[in-house]
Amino acid sequence: MNFVSKSNLIKNVSLAWPLALNAILVQSMVLVDLMLIANLGEVSVAALGLASAILAFFVGTQYALANGTQLILARAVGANDPRAMASSLVIGWLINGGLTLITSVVLLFSLDGLLNWLVDDPLVAEQACRYLQVSACMLLVSSLAQVMIAFFNGSGQTRVPLYGYLIEIPVNILISLVLIYGYLGFPELGLRGAAIGSLVAVSIRFGYLVWQLRRQGNLPIMASRKALNVSVVVAHFHEISPIAANFITLASGVMLHQMLFAQLDVYSFAAITLVMPWMQMGAQFVTSWALATSINISQFRGRHQTHLIADFVEQAVRIILLLGVALCLVFVAFGELLPIIYPRLDEQTQQALAVIAPIYILIPLVRTYNGLCGHSLRALGQSVKVLQIHFVTQWIIGIPYLALVVYFQGPLWAVFGSILLEECLKVHSFRKHLKRELALLTPLDSENNKEGEDSVSS
């Protein structure tokens, strides 16, 4: 490995480890609520699983829009253009905040009908409704915070969002614990108390990010805001829309998966609900390497050093495959620790967890590779191709398969195995398209190579 590749991988590590901890802390918010309400019984667990699936769609949309803005910001950072950075930040706020406001209002007005349509158990629907009524307010705060996180990540300051989550998590735990069980004289609110704890914690994190943003002395936010016009906003939205559509496709697919899983008996659905946050946390942990890779690719493009990308991605793929194997081993240990993590589960729930164990152990091996390929292709400007791959494997094959298995009351392993099926179907397409895009980046002459290497070394 040459010096340039090694230095770029070291830079990737410095970006990736705060992103990895961020991912753990983001998913831990769901786990905090899940572990705190697990003692309330299977109905509360199922209600949280249903509510979390709906929230995941809206949060996934926010993340999608912010992720598109993040790549634009990373290019501006590579070009050393503070005005473009500030402009992208303000436009990201307008788009993300505006869409979240509209969708939150729609969610609140249609909540009762949606939940009654999704689940037959009125107790599950009632508790999920209480949780989502509070969480709708949290979505607006989260949308603005997501754009600020994209700014710090895109500019290489990935530790700032990490510190924000380190502040948020203990606040979330303490307030949720007090309100769920009615400690210290507070009323016992159950699942609604968990939602209030999350709302307060996210608001505190938002205040911290605002304070950090004000410390960015070279960021002309006010001047960029005054210079905005409709054409600039439209151009920004046009660039991020394929990335947003891709993430929305995945998020809505995950939500539909959870809705179909909700048609199972309460014990099987509770088992899937208990496992899914851990799966998502593991996936996000490894995806941080893919996100860091995409940020570096975007910065290479901003500096016009595209000839360095192919070797950099090749090394990144090798590392993420090793991470995937390690994550599979972690899930083997997780399966053994489940009785300790959730000691009061019904015997039927424990049996369901044993059935799906081989599937959630194998999924990371495939998902990690797909994640790196997808993020790399987006950073290379192939967001539409990534969207096509996800759409075909998920909506044309995976979800219809899952619906049929659920309708005909197939075995639990066949139902849950739809996730693994989708990931396996993506591998060939991602590999083929990434290899083709990297081949197009082959340097045309050695002089350009040398100039790029000299600039990175300096």
Side-chain angles (χ1 to χ4, degrees), residues 33 37 131 172 176 179-180 189-199:
D33 290 344
I37 62 94
Y131 187 89
N172 189 3
S176 296
L179 295 180
I180 289 172
L189 299 178
L191 203 54
R192 183 189 286 267
I196 294 173
S198 298
L199 171 60

Side-chain angles (χ1 to χ4, degrees), residues 3 48 67 85 88 99 119 122 132 139 141 154-155 169 183 188 252-253 258 283 293 338 349 357 369:
F3 174 77
L48 180 61
N67 189 267
M85 293 165 59
S88 298
L99 289 178
V119 64
L132 288 169
L139 288 174
V141 181
S155 59
I169 297 303
Y183 296 143
E188 184 177 340
S252 58
Q258 284 293 94
T293 302
L338 269 173
T349 305
Y369 178 77

Side-chain angles (χ1 to χ4, degrees), residues 98 104 126 203 222 229 242 251 348 372 380 401 420 425 432 447:
S104 296
E126 180 184 358
S203 300
M222 297 301 295
N229 55 61
Q348 294 183 60
L372 181 73
L380 291 169
Y401 161 82
L420 181 59
L425 292 173
K432 178 181 68 175
E447 183 179 348

Side-chain angles (χ1 to χ4, degrees), residues 69-370:
T69 300
Q70 179 174 291
L71 295 179
I72 297 174
L73 282 163
R75 288 207 306 272
V77 171
N80 194 24
D81 189 348
R83 185 172 291 275
M85 293 165 59
S87 176
S88 298
L89 176 64
V90 174
I91 294 173
W93 275 333
L94 290 174
I95 294 174
N96 218 324
L99 289 178
T100 299
L101 180 61
I102 294 171
T103 53
S104 296
V105 171
V106 172
L107 174 64
L108 286 174
F109 277 100
S110 61
L111 191 54
D112 288 335
L114 176 64
L115 291 173
N116 290 328
W117 176 68
L118 291 176
V119 64
D120 295 330
D121 192 327
L123 293 177
V124 173
E126 180 184 358
Q127 292 201 34
C129 182
R130 292 176 181 176
Y131 187 89
L132 288 169
Q133 285 172 343
V134 177
S135 298
C137 301
M138 181 191 68
L139 288 174
L140 186 58
V141 181
S142 175
S143 67
L144 302 177
Q146 284 285 1
V147 178
M148 287 188 282
I149 290 172
F151 167 79
F152 290 116
N153 288 342
S155 59
Q157 304 176 68
T158 53
R159 297 188 186 187
V160 173
L162 169 61
Y163 298 149
Y165 285 117
L166 289 175
I167 295 171
E168 175 186 353
I169 297 303
V171 172
N172 189 3
I173 294 174
L174 291 174
I175 296 178
S176 296
L177 185 62
V178 167
L179 295 180
I180 289 172
Y181 296 102
Y183 296 143
L184 303 178
F186 284 89
E188 184 177 340
L189 299 178
L191 203 54
R192 183 189 286 267
I196 294 173
S198 298
L199 171 60
V200 174
V202 169
S203 300
I204 291 174
R205 172 167 58 94
F206 172 76
Y208 166 77
L209 292 172
V210 170
W211 174 67
Q212 285 289 352
L213 193 63
R214 290 174 63 88
R215 298 180 63 193
Q216 305 291 314
N218 61 339
L219 196 64
I221 293 179
M222 297 301 295
S224 297
R225 188 183 66 178
K226 294 176 181 178
L228 288 182
N229 55 61
V230 175
S231 62
V232 175
V233 176
V234 170
H236 184 106
F237 184 76
H238 178 74
E239 183 168 356
I240 71 172
S241 57
I243 300 173
N246 182 72
F247 277 93
I248 291 170
T249 298
L250 290 174
S252 58
V254 170
M255 184 175 69
L256 186 53
H257 271 80
Q258 284 293 94
M259 292 176 182
L260 290 170
F261 291 152
Q263 307 308 309
L264 301 171
D265 63 87
V266 68
Y267 301 103
S268 296
F269 183 47
I272 294 174
T273 300
L274 291 170
V275 166
M276 287 296 285
W278 296 96
M279 290 178 58
Q280 291 164 1
M281 183 171 69
Q284 290 296 326
F285 177 79
V286 178
T287 299
S288 62
W289 181 257
L291 281 171
T293 302
S294 68
I295 291 171
N296 275 317
I297 291 173
S298 295
Q299 291 183 0
F300 283 140
R301 294 180 66 195
R303 292 193 296 264
H304 304 289
Q305 296 174 338
T306 56
H307 60 278
L308 299 174
I309 294 176
D311 183 58
F312 172 68
V313 171
E314 181 183 350
Q315 300 297 333
V317 167
R318 295 174 183 172
I319 292 174
I320 206 164
L321 289 175
L322 292 175
L323 292 174
V325 173
L327 189 56
C328 290
L329 297 176
V330 168
F331 278 122
V332 171
F334 168 74
E336 298 297 323
L337 293 173
L338 269 173
I340 300 175
I341 299 173
Y342 303 114
R344 299 184 181 180
L345 293 179
D346 189 277
E347 184 178 350
Q348 294 183 60
T349 305
Q350 295 178 25
Q351 291 173 355
L353 285 169
V355 170
I356 64 176
I359 299 171
Y360 68 68
I361 289 172
L362 290 175
I363 285 174
L365 194 60
V366 191
R367 181 174 277 174
T368 51
Y369 178 77
N370 291 337

